[in-house]
Amino acid sequence: PPAIEDDRDKSYQFSQYLPFAPKVNWEPLEAVQVVDRGHFADPSKHNLFSAAQRVKHLTPEIGTEILGIDLRQLSGPQKDELALLVAERGVVFFRHQEMNIYEQLDLARHLGPLHKHGITPFPKEPGLEEVHVVYNDEAAQPSYYAMYPKWRMWHTDISYELQPASTTCLRMLTCPEYGGDTLWSSAYALYSSLSPGFQKYLEGLTALHSAVAQTEHTRAAGLHTRREPIETVHPVVRVHPVTGFKGVYVNPAFTLRIIGVSKTESDTILNFLFHEIGENPDFQVRFHWEPNSVAIWDNRIVNHSAIFDFWPAVRHALRTTPHGEKPMSVEEYERETGKVAKDRKIELLKD
């Protein structure tokens, strides 16, 4: 497991943001009101795009890089349009961002109420409990990351919560010159790739998402957990509240089983979906980090996985993660909104 902050290296430039895991206890999370900022965006995204030097789509299905934007300077309408772009493209990348952690928090709070993780470390600097520290150095032995096959490392952030993550913002502080990339996989594209009959079948299913294994691994490493683990049932196919597009909402790290079917059937379906997420390059985009790179992604419609090929180098980033809405099935979305949930690929072909 990653090292925990101590006094061994105060000369490190970002020592105040090293991982800190105090022995404190937090109450279970309560429901929070969420209004997705993408609802308020200009669909043309004129305010955001007109301020950029270049907007570059990285693959047809997922991933866009925006050049020439300073995230600290975004207006409210530009932030709303960014939320919509992330909801459409899955993940959006920026480089050369000099924002500090408080400016990163301000951007994240515009997108929704922030999640406080009950397991992972946060910075020792006071007032940053809503920041998730991503940190690996020479103390994180390669054997720790060889415990599982690579496809098992794919996940969408905190999918076990009653209101899982919406739009994560990750800013890289320190990273190796090469290695340590991250991949994202589109849940829209996965859904679109399935046959109509299988799509319809999955739309009627729910699955159990669990934080238990993550908590047990943390405790086995001798670290304190601030909140008891939770397990929650979510639809296998969820609808994004802004785009109205359908996506497959399961992930290898936290989804344990499909409810209401035999273990054999559940394992067969989930293993197929997990391998498509982790191994089908048609759905994926890969990003090479540099210091001050920022990735903003929508956990409702992408999975992601970091590549641990950089030991013993340091890889250090700060993550801020707003809560999203309670995941909506196709039936729930259409009943509550009066709209028809859509297949993104079909809509793009129409256009």
Side-chain angles (χ1 to χ4, degrees):
I4 297 301
E5 196 274 342
D6 53 33
D7 294 329
R8 62 184 175 161
D9 191 5
K10 293 300 184 184
S11 64
Y12 174 49
Q13 180 182 1
F14 303 110
S15 61
Q16 71 271 37
Y17 302 131
L18 286 169
F20 177 56
K23 292 185 177 180
V24 296
N25 296 313
W26 292 344
E27 293 296 319
L29 293 174
E30 297 181 353
V32 292
Q33 175 111 20
V34 173
V35 179
D36 196 296
R37 297 304 307 180
H39 284 299
F40 305 99
D42 175 355
S44 73
K45 307 172 196 69
H46 171 75
N47 296 292
L48 181 66
F49 289 167
S50 64
Q53 293 176 358
R54 186 180 180 192
V55 178
K56 179 173 68 172
H57 295 323
L58 302 183
T59 81
E61 297 290 353
I62 180 174
T64 297
E65 185 168 1
I66 297 184
L67 307 177
I69 289 281
D70 185 340
L71 290 171
R72 299 173 297 181
Q73 305 300 322
L74 292 184
S75 65
Q78 287 174 320
K79 293 176 184 177
D80 293 345
E81 292 169 15
L82 175 59
L84 178 57
L85 179 64
V86 174
E88 293 172 346
R89 296 291 301 162
V91 56
V92 179
F93 305 107
F94 303 84
R95 297 191 186 274
H96 312 300
Q97 301 297 314
E98 299 290 341
M99 59 169 33
N100 61 41
I101 187 55
Y102 299 99
E103 292 162 333
Q104 182 178 339
L105 283 165
D106 287 343
L107 173 61
R109 288 193 182 105
H110 182 86
L111 302 175
L114 294 186
H115 177 257
K116 289 173 62 176
H117 208 294
I119 300 171
T120 59
F122 53 83
K124 192 170 186 178
E125 183 173 316
L128 297 181
E129 292 82 5
E130 294 167 323
V131 177
H132 171 129
V133 176
V134 178
Y135 182 83
N136 294 92
D137 60 14
E138 73 282 355
Q141 296 297 330
S143 60
Y144 176 75
Y145 297 102
M147 292 171 60
Y148 303 101
K150 295 301 181 182
W151 63 269
R152 293 281 308 190
M153 307 297 285
W154 285 84
H155 64 285
T156 180
D157 292 334
I158 59 169
S159 69
Y160 45 75
E161 299 286 17
L162 293 170
Q163 291 177 254
S166 60
T167 311
T168 287
C169 177
L170 184 71
R171 175 172 174 258
M172 190 62 63
L173 302 179
T174 304
C175 58
E177 181 181 356
Y178 49 87
D181 295 358
T182 303
L183 298 107
W184 286 261
S185 177
S186 169
Y188 289 155
L190 173 52
Y191 176 86
S192 295
S193 73
L194 305 174
S195 65
F198 196 39
Q199 289 175 339
K200 193 67 175 177
Y201 173 62
L202 294 182
E203 288 173 16
L205 298 177
T206 58
L208 182 71
H209 296 244
S210 175
V212 172
Q214 186 183 53
T215 302
E216 289 176 348
H217 290 163
T218 301
R219 288 172 174 165
L223 304 178
H224 181 72
T225 55
R226 298 176 292 277
R227 190 184 296 122
E228 289 301 308
I230 185 174
E231 295 187 324
T232 308
V233 174
H234 295 309
V236 170
V237 175
R238 72 181 294 180
V239 183
H240 194 286
V242 177
T243 66
F245 296 150
K246 306 173 190 177
V248 176
Y249 192 65
V250 298
N251 68 87
F254 301 131
T255 308
L256 295 187
R257 66 178 183 275
I258 293 175
I259 304 300
V261 304
S262 69
K263 184 179 187 304
T264 301
E265 187 172 347
S266 173
D267 289 350
T268 300
I269 295 168
L270 288 178
N271 283 334
F272 166 72
L273 295 174
F274 292 165
H275 281 279
E276 286 295 290
I277 290 168
E279 298 174 358
N280 193 327
D282 293 350
F283 310 153
Q284 296 177 3
V285 66
R286 178 169 177 160
F287 185 67
H288 177 65
W289 296 96
E290 298 171 343
N292 293 329
S293 294
V294 171
I296 303 176
W297 67 90
D298 196 319
N299 290 279
R300 294 166 291 191
I301 46 97
V302 298
N303 282 276
H304 65 281
S305 182
I307 302 175
F308 293 96
D309 58 354
F310 54 88
W311 186 86
V314 173
R315 184 177 184 273
H316 187 190
L318 301 179
R319 189 186 97 183
T320 50
T321 308
H323 285 278
E325 75 287 351
K326 185 178 181 294
M328 290 185 291
S329 67
V330 174
E331 189 275 332
E332 289 171 329
Y333 172 84
E334 294 183 343
R335 183 183 68 243
E336 294 181 14
T337 68
K339 301 177 182 178
V340 176
K342 301 174 182 178
D343 181 325
R344 175 179 176 270
K345 180 61 71 67
I346 291 176
E347 297 306 307
L348 290 178
L349 291 174
K350 288 179 181 178
D351 290 342

